[in-house]
Amino acid sequence: MSAALDEFCGSVFWNASYLDRPDADLPVCFQQTVLVWIPLGFLWILGPWQVLPMCKSRDKKSSVTKLYIIKQVLTTLLMLTAVAELVLAAVEGAEQDPLPAVQYTNPSLYIATWLLVLLIHDARRFCLRRDSGILFCFWTLSLLCGSLLFQSLLRRALQVGFGRKLSASSRSRSNPEVTASFLSSITFEWYSSMVFKGYRKPLEIEDIWELKAEDKMQSIYTVFEKNMKTAVRKAQAELEKRKRKKRRREGGLDHVNNISKAQSQDILVLEEKQTKKKKGDKGDSGSHKDYPRGWLMKTLGKTFWKNLLLSVTFKLVHDLIVFVSPQLLKLLIAFVSDEESFAWQGYVYAILLFLSAMIQSLCLQQYFTLCFKLGTQVRASLIAAIYKKSLTMSSATRKESTVGETVNLMSADAQRFMDMANFIHQLWSSPLQIILSIVFLWGELGPSVLAGLAVMVLLIPINWFLVAKSRTIQVRNMKNKDERMKIMSEILNGIKILKLFAWEPSFEKRVNEIRAHELKNLLNFSYLQSVSVFVFTCAPFLVSLASFAVYVLVDENNILDAQKAFTAISLFNVLRFPMAMLPLVLSSLVQTNVSTVRLERYLAGEDLDTSAIHHRGSFLTGSAVRFSEATFAWERDGDAAIRDVNLDITPGSLVAVVGAVGSGKSSLVSAMLGEMEHIKGHINIQGSLAYVPQQAWIQNATLKDNILFGSELDEARYQQVIKACALLPDLELLPAGDQTEIGEKGINLSGGQKQRVSLARAVYSNADIYVLDDPLSAVDAHVGKYLFEHVLGPKGLLQNKTRILVTHSISFLPLVDNIVVMGAGAVSEQGSYGTLLANRGAFAQFLNSYGSQEKDASEEDTTGTGNKTGLCVCLGDMKNLALSSSDTSGGCYEPYPASGNLQHKNFLKISTNSLKKAQEEAPKQVKGQKLIEKEAVETGKVKLSMYLRYLRAVGLWYSFWVAMGYVAQYVAYVGTNLWLSAWTDDAERYLNETYPVEQRDLRIGVFGALGVSQALFLLFSTILSAYGAVRASRVMHQQLLGNILRAPMSFYDTTPMGRIVNRFAKDIFTIDETIPMSFRSWLSCLMGIISTLLMITLATPFFALIIIPLGIFYYFVLRFYISTSRQLRRVDSVTRSPIYSHFGETVSGLSVIRAYGHQARFLQQNEITMDINQKAVYSWIISNRWLAIRLEFVGSLVVFFSALLAVISKGTLEGGIVGLSVSSALNVTQTLNWLVRTSSELETNIVAVERVHEYTKVKNEAPWVTDKRPPRGWPSKGEIRFVDYKVRYRPELELVLQGITCNIGSTEKVGVVGRTGAGKSSLTNCLFRLLEAAGGKILIDEVDIATIGLHDLRKNLTIIPQDPVLFTGTLRMNLDPFDQYTDEEVWKALELAHLKMYVQDLPGRLLYVVSEGGENLSVGQRQLVCLARALLRKAKILILDEATAAVDLETDHLIQTTIRSEFADCTVLTIAHRLHTIMDSNRVMVLQAGRIVEFDSPEELLGKAGVFSMMAKDAGITNTETTTL
């Protein structure tokens, strides 16, 4: 081969002696062939692919730019030089002897190559990214090879040394990544503009670049979902197989265990709650524990395989190059120790060290970018999948996971996957690096390495043990976390009830108990972590100690010299990273495993089965809805809630569904909507549905958006709907009309307004079939009547639509086309009003007992007022689906007169007056338009005070000793290394003598002692810091919880729940687990860098000069980066809250979204919210890579200069000290990088302290208990005096009560009436001081309530609130959370509330577990539980806030009777919903616009022609005796 090349060039191809001299150079032939062909070969192998876009692309070429023209001109010039060279060679060859072949081939090759380059440039105009990576590499290779040719030519011309220069740069453009050049891409230069912008001003979400199309949620999720479906299908088939096997096995046992299944189940539930049985216990019914497994990882692998493959490539290249540095170090030490070696060799080694470090860093950064991108995309896919699942979930699956748990799946579990994705490749990369290290070490130390290996192998079982222990703790803690989040979200949902009943301490105690368990586990977990950190710090050191000791002891000829020791040490350092990573990755894998189980169970849960709901039109034109033998249950295998229902509803008819509490009315509706488990039969529905649930579901959006609900705006229809739904007067009261933002759960609307908005949404949707689940329950009789006439009735807006109305309002029944009477889940009778009366069935008896003036009513009905009794009660049934909402600021007395001219005039007068008033006040009022402020994003540097606040929470002494421990550890570390350096210099000192044994033993002994002390100091500081961190967690959570519970009601009105939940979930998690780790890593890195620089400076003092410019560069990069990164993390936190808020809202309005068929719109909304968050996260990832590339460049320079200085001062240095200096430098790159990472991570995470602190500073309401205590037994009389009392909801809003003055005597019964916004509910809020006075005072038994503590006040009043809110826990806990009463007293209260029979039949009776939001009781039953609460308290003053809105007539009757008998000696204030409840009051207070307009006995008021008598007339009341109740 060599001979052929000699002939080809006409000179010698290779002669090693060229290099064995001070002015070394390469042979000319080698330069003309190898150095020319390497770049050309590279281009010809990879280049032709770059021309393909010309052949395939149908896209337009992009325009010709200046840059393109310059590139083409320069390439053409290069081609012309090649042509000229060829011509010259031909001319010369013709004139003299023929030239060597190489003179002809090279120019010809170049001509062809430049042609190819011209083509590639042109082809790139079809691509978005103009430049080509392959060309870039080709130019770089040509430059490197050409520089060697160039220096030879120069030296021949000038006989001078070596010169070479390499530079390339590129500018980024406006949306940079898509069009960034190759160089800009690998160095992330395109991102610089963002970093500078972030340094100049705090970044906002608007500043961040949009994601690339392929990174957007939609494109990722489409692929993921496709793969998920196939994988789940396979997994379900496997599951069926498993079940079949199990059935075969258990076939024999089955009939033995058939004791009443229901009983054993209930007993189990109880046991599980009491003894907290472990999940997999035998007793638990096996079937729902099993789920399709093992499909999630496969799906993720299939979806993201391209990313995985690319990152494997980069990682592999990086891992191999890592091992080049130790070999170069070995050569460098040999060079320094060898007097004879040439200087140029040293320079080459220094340059090679620099280059290998640079390539390593470029590969590593590309690899990390890919990994982090994978992480965010996996997280996003999972969140999208969870969201989509929640829209299709069956009610059984929904019961298994509460809202809190699902939000946890989104936040914690998806996050786990993201963290895992970042390190997944370590699973193969770590073992690979370990194996390679061992191979190279064997080369250095021979069999002695086995001693080191033995130590490693011994450490593995210890490690496994620690991982296993950590896992069990982690699983336990996830359960505690779920439990705590569940209670927290309940507390926040029912905060108003907690405040009214002064129950905060009881719930605070519950949360703190769970938190105590959580922290105990956390402490154990941290101790385990410190042990494992200790083991891992010991590991590399013990390994090197064992190896060196054995090496020296085995054979006295084995002398440890610098080459061996420091090559070995840098290999051990390489080994250190994979060995530390492996256990972390394994434990992360373990945690991900826990999450995988949770996610697989959730995502593969059963979907809603709507197969029984048909939409066939062809053969059934006669009916709009038809039930055929329909039997449905709430749970698969549960008891049927409706059975054998046969119904035919004709198009355009109005059908009323009536029946007692729990008779299955709402179940009938739910079955129609497909929310129930199908047992047999089917339901056929023709046309689109609109649904009004029993408890209105309102979104956090403007009022207008709530009504439009995603439809196009048709202004005329919109106005018509608003008028028909009686919303016009409400719009006048709202600060910004229909543009007013409604808070979460409709918090700033009264019950009646919410219900009317919900109705308006249905009417506007213009569907074919309307399913109305008792929409008239939350509004007064008048409004009810108005709505019936204008919307639902025969003359209403919906007169031509099919309407199915669940109702308890007898007055409307004569006007409906058909009545369906439900009883115990079946249709007991149906027909028109007249038919049913004639049948004399259950319905007729029911009417006779409650509709006392039956005949009058039917006569009156012909004239159009049927509301003789005007009872409009609402009831829920066994399973009310809508989550009960907690905050309504007062449902309404709303006089909407509907007939009679006189009233019309009056009505018009009222509305024109209020219109004028609204116009006058308009500018002032818009202040309150925005209810929920944008979440505050802290900007600028995290204040030092935050770090101090955290350290103070840890304890300053703890912090001090932890820091001292780290300092001591690194002092020992430097000692160890200096000692080793001295040890290796012994090889020179005792060159040809025997090595003294005592010297050897001393060396080994001290080396060992220093190493062990290093590990012990570390153990000391980690254990201390673990204890301190848990202490800090405890303190911060307690402050946060205590303060949130003491925040005033107005805080909850203006803060979305998601935001508060985020503090308790994400931020507390960060304080618990992330910050302690960050602090430790930061200290560790800082000390590591200081000690390394110290060692290099000791070796070559000149290095101190180089530290300064490098330090300045480092500092600037850091300053730029940290401000950007910190702000990006904050933006990430803020954009994450809406994901959870939107999710919570979706889950609570699920039945509505499904009924309207708006799933796709909500999915899209979720995608948009997700993309905004992804954008911030992605930008943050890139900012980290931008930084890392620049820092690793600094690290590479440190390596280069430490090597260069060693080469320059060759004669004066020992091999040992050079080895020490360069091996430390090789280590510093990683540490430099980690220092910035950890400081920015620390800054980022300390934001959690800042956010938690922000909520511990929320202004509190008045103290719960003050020095001034009311007298014992207060209030003994129950007299209430209002003195010129004024109040407003928030400082910037108008007054709601405008100076109220009145006296209410002891044991007096007072009714309060008035239309919406008159201030009825505000009155109760004031008595309980949920609102503080803006003027005036309230005296109860002559005690000014503003002077005593809130709990002293609230514990002595009783309220039956408008919304019956229950909490998860036992029934007893819901009645008496402080365990103040005996069981007898509790049973007595239940008996009086008519619940005793019901509770006695429940499994566990008083210990029956109430589910989230009280979903396993009907709304009526929940209301009775609230009555029982009031009966237990038995305070002297009782306030009824529209309490009877959700019960049927019989229950209502019972409640009224109970209140009359049991509270006879109390003062009772009833906020009336319907006038009948207050006609027997001693006096009635009529409110209008925050003032008392009438206040007298009902008889007197009826006699006067005033507001009250008008209302009464409307409700069909002429005198006080006409009421039956």
Side-chain angles (χ1 to χ4, degrees), residues 143-163:
L143 205 64
L144 284 172
C145 298
S147 60
L148 291 170
L149 287 164
F150 183 60
Q151 61 91 24
S152 283
L153 284 169
L154 264 182
R155 282 161 68 180
R156 267 180 245 147
L158 304 172
Q159 295 297 311
V160 194
F162 223 141

Side-chain angles (χ1 to χ4, degrees), residues 213-246:
E214 69 263 28
D215 294 340
K216 286 221 162 122
M217 203 50 256
Q218 199 174 359
S219 46
I220 299 168
Y221 185 64
T222 319
V223 185
F224 177 77
E225 191 180 26
K226 196 177 89 198
N227 292 328
M228 178 166 94
K229 279 183 180 152
T230 44
V232 172
R233 221 172 293 131
K234 282 182 194 158
Q236 269 161 346
E238 292 282 306
L239 176 66
E240 284 308 313
K241 274 188 204 156
R242 283 204 297 276
K243 279 188 180 161
R244 276 204 294 279
K245 269 190 197 151
K246 201 168 176 189

Side-chain angles (χ1 to χ4, degrees), residues 1428-1453:
R1429 272 180 200 163
L1431 289 163
L1432 259 184
R1433 273 249 168 130
K1434 208 62 200 317
K1436 203 67 187 159
I1437 297 177
L1438 168 72
I1439 289 129
L1440 266 122
D1441 189 352
E1442 305 184 4
T1444 49
V1447 273
D1448 62 321
L1449 304 179
E1450 297 169 68
T1451 324
D1452 186 21
H1453 190 56

Side-chain angles (χ1 to χ4, degrees), residues 1209-1223:
S1209 45
K1210 177 182 169 193
T1212 58
L1213 291 180
E1214 297 287 330
I1217 202 85
V1218 171
L1220 175 62
S1221 148
V1222 179
S1223 67

Side-chain angles (χ1 to χ4, degrees), residues 930-999:
K930 196 91 183 102
L931 175 73
I932 289 183
E933 296 305 325
K934 234 170 117 173
E935 184 161 7
V937 189
E938 292 283 336
T939 53
K941 210 172 164 99
V942 180
K943 298 177 198 66
L944 192 64
S945 60
M946 285 305 150
Y947 294 101
L948 285 175
R949 175 164 289 111
Y950 182 74
L951 291 177
R952 222 171 277 130
V954 171
L956 291 174
W957 273 111
Y958 278 112
S959 310
F960 173 73
W961 283 113
V962 169
M964 287 331 316
Y966 273 102
V967 171
Q969 183 211 335
Y970 276 96
V971 168
Y973 170 68
V974 173
T976 316
N977 280 325
L978 290 172
W979 185 260
L980 181 65
S981 163
W983 181 1
T984 57
D985 290 341
D986 287 353
E988 298 283 311
R989 199 173 312 136
Y990 300 97
L991 195 51
N992 295 320
E993 317 163 29
T994 44
Y995 192 55
V997 177
E998 59 280 4
Q999 174 77 352

Side-chain angles (χ1 to χ4, degrees), residues 5-24:
L5 286 169
D6 289 351
E7 192 182 330
F8 180 68
C9 301
S11 66
V12 181
F13 172 66
W14 185 250
N15 182 350
S17 65
Y18 273 51
L19 298 175
D20 291 342
R21 54 185 199 210
D23 59 335

Side-chain angles (χ1 to χ4, degrees), residues 30-96:
F30 185 83
Q31 294 185 12
Q32 286 176 334
T33 51
V34 177
L35 294 183
V36 169
W37 295 347
I38 286 176
L40 297 190
F42 172 81
L43 184 68
W44 280 99
I45 292 168
L46 299 173
W49 306 109
Q50 297 281 307
V51 187
L52 284 181
M54 289 178 95
C55 319
K56 299 197 294 204
S57 183
R58 302 207 179 77
D59 304 345
K60 286 212 329 274
K61 282 192 186 186
S62 50
S63 57
V64 174
T65 59
K66 280 185 191 163
L67 184 64
Y68 170 77
I69 295 170
I70 293 169
K71 288 203 286 195
Q72 294 295 58
V73 168
L74 289 176
T75 314
T76 316
L77 288 173
L78 284 171
M79 193 163 79
L80 292 175
T81 50
V83 172
E85 208 177 319
L86 188 60
V87 171
L88 276 172
V91 170
E92 245 177 82
E95 287 175 357
Q96 302 150 16

